[in-house]
């Protein structure tokens, strides 16, 4: 089988916002407690945070982390997480039927995020709280001094403001599982008023308003349109959430799910542009895909959890090789939509449907999905190039004419290179892949790595991580044409120096 990519230096999609490689940490399961924070662990720092986990997060180069939820957010009082730890209340978390100790709160998380090199995408509670709490937390975090909330922050040890740039206006507010769920009219009005006062406190912040909770929601499209009628002038991004799984054990259908992601993104873009046209606005509203991942392995186990435990194991999917391939396809799809998707948050970062797993008082290790995410975060910077792809396709249950290759090309002028991420979806055949890079002069191949050759159900464990990049066969260059062989069922990274 053959595949030919053609790109031209002059034809681009967009520069990539570094926040495309963001993640998410919610107070649920073992994401925080015995995930990033475990004071009794052998590697714990003076503040109780695991150094082994910090090292893995730094390896991912995660630029922004959404916090503290998620469903947890809609019942959370941010004031519970400030002040002396010994004075903080324990609360019932109704979202996940657990007990929240509030040992880790706003200051602890901000300090941890700074240590791992991440900004924080702070989410505010618009389920049980509202406008007053929204303006107060912005004042607490971002106002320099001289007011009640800013001086209280200083009293709690943070002399300088946190300067949090990005804020989410609630979470999945159309979901009947959400504490304080609302109609589109109710949420749109509340979000607009919260947005106004938050920006009055700090005009420099950016705001993400909630889209519907997923493409399958009966509210989808009408929710977005109604909410944006109220909020378009006040917000900067509209959120999307989507999770993917393979419960039917149909590999070819599973690997085609990035086609569905692409259609979802383009549908939401169309809604945003409809409201833009209706309002006769010059403003282009961009997207924050602030929850996306693979999630289905843990469903059966989670249904047996006893309620009201402290940090029980929840949503601890153990990822396999086929999951790594789909994750690569999803990453490529986000990059191909970088003209409108500016923020994306892999949900989540540690233990809870995450690329990093930990054992309580034990090891931390990289899941099968760790490496595709890490490689794109390291090398996926610069400008996405438009490309034409000639390749055979196939039909499956949900999608027709699915190309056997999912690919994207990125020009990084700072590093003087072109990077190609490419997945071969074929389970049987290798693919002779060529890329004609018009307008570029290729000097040599810097890297050609692949993840391939595994049983589709193979996983990484604390003892061994076989699903990792390895050197692929040598790629060749002839003028401005790059040629390489893509192994059957493979994730590939090809970097050429210009």
């Amino acid at each position: 089988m053959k595949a030919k990519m053609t790109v031209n230096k002059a034809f681009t999609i967009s520069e990539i916002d570094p926040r495309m490689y963001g993640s998410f940490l919610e107070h649920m399961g073992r994401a925080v407690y015995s995930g990033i924070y475990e004071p009794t662990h052998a590697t714990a720092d003076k503040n109780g945070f695991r150094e082994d986990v910090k090292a893995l997060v730094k390896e991912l180069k995660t630029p922004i982390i959404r916090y503290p939820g998620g469903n947890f957010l809609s019942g959370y009082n941010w004031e519970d997480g400030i002040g002396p730890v010994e004075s903080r209340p324990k609360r019932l978390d109704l979202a996940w039927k657990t007990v929240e100790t509030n040992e880790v709160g706003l200051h602890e998380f901000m300090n941890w995020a700074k240590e791992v090199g991440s900004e924080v995408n702070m989410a505010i509670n618009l389920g049980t709280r509202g406008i007053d709490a929204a303006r107060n937390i912005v004042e607490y975090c971002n106002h320099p001094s001289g007011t009640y909330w800013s001086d209280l922050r200083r009293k709690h040890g943070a002399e300088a403001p946190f300067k949090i740039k990005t804020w989410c206006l609630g979470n999945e507010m159309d979901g009947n599982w959400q504490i304080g769920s609302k109609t589109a009219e109710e949420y749109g009005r509340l979000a607009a008023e919260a947005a106004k006062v938050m920006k009055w406190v700090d005009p420099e912040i950016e705001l993400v308003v909630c889209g519907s909770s997923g493409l399958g929601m009966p509210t989808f499209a009408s929710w977005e349109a109604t909410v944006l009628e109220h909020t378009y002038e006040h917000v900067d991004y509209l959120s999307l959430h989507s999770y993917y799984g393979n419960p039917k054990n149909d590999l070819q259908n599973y690997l085609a799910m990035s086609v569905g992601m692409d259609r979802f993104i383009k549908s939401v873009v169309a809604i945003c542009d409809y409201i833009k046209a209706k309002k006769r606005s010059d403003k282009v509203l961009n997207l924050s895909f602030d929850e996306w991942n693979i999630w289905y392995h843990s469903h059966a186990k989670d249904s047996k959890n006893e309620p009201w435990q402290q940090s029980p194991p929840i949503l601890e999917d153990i990822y396999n090789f086929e999951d790594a391939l789909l994750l690569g396809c999803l990453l490529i799809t986000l990059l191909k939509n970088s003209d409108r998707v500016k923020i994306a948050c892999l949900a989540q970062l540690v233990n809870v449907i995450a690329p990093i797993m930990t054992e309580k008082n034990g090891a931390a290790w990289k899941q099968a999905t760790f490496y595709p995410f890490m490689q794109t975060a390291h090398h996926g910077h610069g400008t996405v190039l438009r490309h034409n792809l000639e390749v055979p396709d196939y039909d499956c249950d949900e999608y027709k004419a699915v190309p056997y290759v999912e690919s994207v090309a990125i020009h990084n002028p700072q590093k003087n290179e072109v990077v190609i991420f490419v997945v071969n979806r074929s389970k049987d055949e290798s693919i002779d892949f060529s890329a004609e890079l018009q307008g570029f002069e290729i000097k040599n191949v810097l890297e050609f790595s692949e993840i391939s050759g595994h049983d589709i159900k193979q996983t990484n464990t604390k003892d061994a991580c076989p699903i990792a990049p390895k050197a692929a066969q040598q790629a060749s260059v002839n003028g401005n044409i790059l040629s390489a062989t893509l192994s059957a069922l493979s994730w590939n990274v090809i970097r050429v120096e210009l």
Side-chain angles (χ1 to χ4, degrees):
M1 197 185 309
K2 295 181 182 295
K4 181 183 178 182
M5 169 191 279
T6 304
V7 301
N8 188 293
K9 186 177 182 180
F11 296 99
T12 64
I13 294 176
S14 176
E15 187 173 349
I16 299 164
D17 190 312
R19 294 174 297 175
M20 185 74 80
Y21 308 114
S23 194
F24 175 32
L25 273 169
E26 181 173 356
H27 280 248
M28 68 172 296
R30 297 192 312 114
V32 174
Y33 304 109
S34 79
I36 64 170
Y37 176 80
E38 191 176 354
T40 60
H41 195 269
T43 71
D45 65 16
K46 63 180 181 180
N47 298 313
F49 290 93
R50 290 179 57 154
E51 293 282 9
D52 58 345
V53 174
K54 278 196 280 187
L56 293 177
V57 175
K58 289 178 183 178
E59 191 174 347
L60 284 177
K61 292 189 175 181
T62 308
I64 193 167
I65 299 173
R66 183 169 171 249
Y67 175 84
N71 295 350
F72 171 82
L73 174 70
S74 292
Y76 180 57
N77 300 326
W78 69 269
E79 302 92 336
D80 290 346
I82 61 175
V85 174
E86 61 273 12
S87 301
R88 296 178 189 174
K90 290 185 178 181
R91 303 280 194 193
L92 293 182
D93 168 27
L94 302 184
W96 302 108
K97 289 185 166 53
T98 60
V99 174
E100 171 57 47
T101 66
N102 287 301
E103 292 172 70
V104 174
L106 182 57
H107 287 254
E108 290 83 7
F109 190 78
M110 292 303 301
N111 291 336
W112 177 85
K114 185 177 181 180
E115 287 188 22
V116 298
S118 296
E119 295 181 16
V120 173
N121 180 1
M122 184 63 70
I124 65 162
N125 176 0
L126 289 184
T128 61
R129 307 295 295 277
I131 300 167
D132 208 38
R135 66 170 180 166
N136 291 345
I137 188 173
V138 178
E139 181 182 325
Y140 185 93
C141 291
N142 286 11
H143 195 70
S145 63
T147 66
Y148 174 80
W149 289 109
S150 61
D151 285 345
L152 186 60
R153 180 200 70 242
R154 297 170 68 213
K155 179 182 176 181
H156 292 154
E159 183 72 23
F162 294 133
K163 296 184 179 178
I164 299 172
K165 175 79 170 178
T166 312
W167 298 74
C168 293
L169 300 171
N171 176 73
E172 296 184 354
M173 297 308 302
D174 64 336
N176 59 12
W177 58 86
Q178 204 70 216
I179 302 169
S181 64
K182 294 170 173 59
T183 66
E185 286 285 348
E186 291 169 339
Y187 171 70
R189 288 288 302 122
L190 176 59
E193 293 304 312
K196 279 165 53 178
V197 297
M198 291 169 74
K199 286 195 171 183
W200 286 349
V201 173
D202 184 352
E204 300 301 314
I205 62 175
E206 293 185 330
L207 300 178
V208 182
V209 71
C210 288
S212 57
S213 305
L215 183 60
M217 293 291 291
T219 48
F220 174 68
S222 63
W223 169 277
E224 278 84 354
T226 300
V227 167
L228 291 180
E229 288 274 10
H230 294 291
T231 62
Y232 197 87
E233 294 87 353
H234 305 295
V235 301
D236 305 280
Y237 306 94
L238 177 67
S239 76
L240 295 80
H241 290 182
S242 191
Y243 295 96
Y244 304 90
N246 189 20
K248 295 180 180 179
N249 200 27
D250 182 341
L251 177 64
Q252 294 304 114
N253 191 75
Y254 185 45
L255 296 183
M257 287 185 174
S258 56
V259 175
M261 176 191 256
D262 186 70
R263 293 177 184 174
F264 181 29
I265 292 169
K266 287 179 169 55
S267 295
V268 177
V269 166
I271 299 166
C272 293
D273 290 347
Y274 159 70
I275 299 298
K276 176 187 176 183
K278 187 174 181 181
K279 288 182 172 289
R280 280 73 168 173
S281 174
D282 293 329
K283 175 181 179 178
V284 175
L285 194 72
N286 289 316
L287 307 183
S288 173
F289 213 130
D290 52 35
E291 285 190 35
W292 72 275
N293 206 344
I294 294 154
W295 172 20
Y296 75 102
H297 295 286
S298 59
H299 288 338
K301 183 179 178 182
D302 286 348
S303 65
K304 301 173 185 176
N305 277 340
E306 290 293 323
W308 314 127
Q309 301 178 67
Q310 289 185 19
S311 58
I314 300 175
L315 275 67
E316 295 198 1
D317 279 34
I318 303 302
Y319 293 121
N320 57 36
F321 174 50
E322 66 181 359
D323 297 329
L325 294 175
L326 177 63
L327 193 94
C329 291
L330 298 173
L331 284 161
I332 289 169
T333 300
L334 290 170
L335 288 166
K336 289 194 292 188
N337 288 281
S338 59
D339 56 330
R340 298 301 287 270
V341 179
K342 299 301 180 181
I343 303 170
C345 300
L346 182 73
Q348 294 186 23
L349 185 58
V350 183
N351 286 332
V352 176
I353 49 174
I356 298 169
M357 288 297 296
T358 73
E359 186 178 54
K360 196 168 184 179
N361 293 313
W365 66 96
K366 304 169 183 177
Q367 288 239 62
T369 55
F370 182 96
Y371 286 104
F373 191 71
M374 182 200 76
Q375 288 184 299
T376 51
H378 281 226
H379 302 302
H381 297 280
T383 300
V384 180
L385 301 167
R386 296 191 181 278
H387 74 268
N388 181 66
L389 184 66
E390 300 171 45
V391 64
D393 56 39
Y394 67 91
D395 295 338
C396 57
D397 284 350
E398 293 186 54
Y399 308 103
K400 305 300 180 187
V402 179
Y404 276 104
V405 162
E406 188 77 78
S407 58
V408 68
I410 299 163
H411 175 215
N412 187 336
Q414 289 188 332
K415 289 189 174 181
N416 199 35
E417 67 181 27
V418 168
V419 181
I420 297 173
F421 300 118
V422 56
V423 173
N424 179 1
R425 290 187 173 104
S426 174
K427 59 184 179 181
D428 302 313
E429 292 187 48
S430 61
I431 292 177
D432 293 330
F433 176 79
S434 65
E436 183 177 350
L437 308 183
Q438 297 175 356
F440 295 101
E441 183 178 346
I442 304 174
K443 183 178 180 180
N444 60 277
V445 177
L446 294 170
E447 176 187 351
F448 178 22
S449 68
E450 66 178 5
I451 301 176
S452 68
H454 304 283
D455 182 273
I456 59 172
K457 305 299 183 184
Q458 186 170 6
T459 64
N460 287 352
T461 69
K462 66 176 182 178
D463 299 313
C465 294
I467 302 173
K470 61 184 179 183
Q473 299 177 31
Q474 183 64 42
S476 61
V477 173
N478 183 5
N480 66 351
I481 296 176
L482 167 74
S483 299
T485 300
L486 311 179
S487 301
L489 290 180
S490 61
W491 157 260
N492 304 267
V493 178
I494 308 172
R495 298 167 52 223
V496 296
E497 185 179 8
L498 302 174

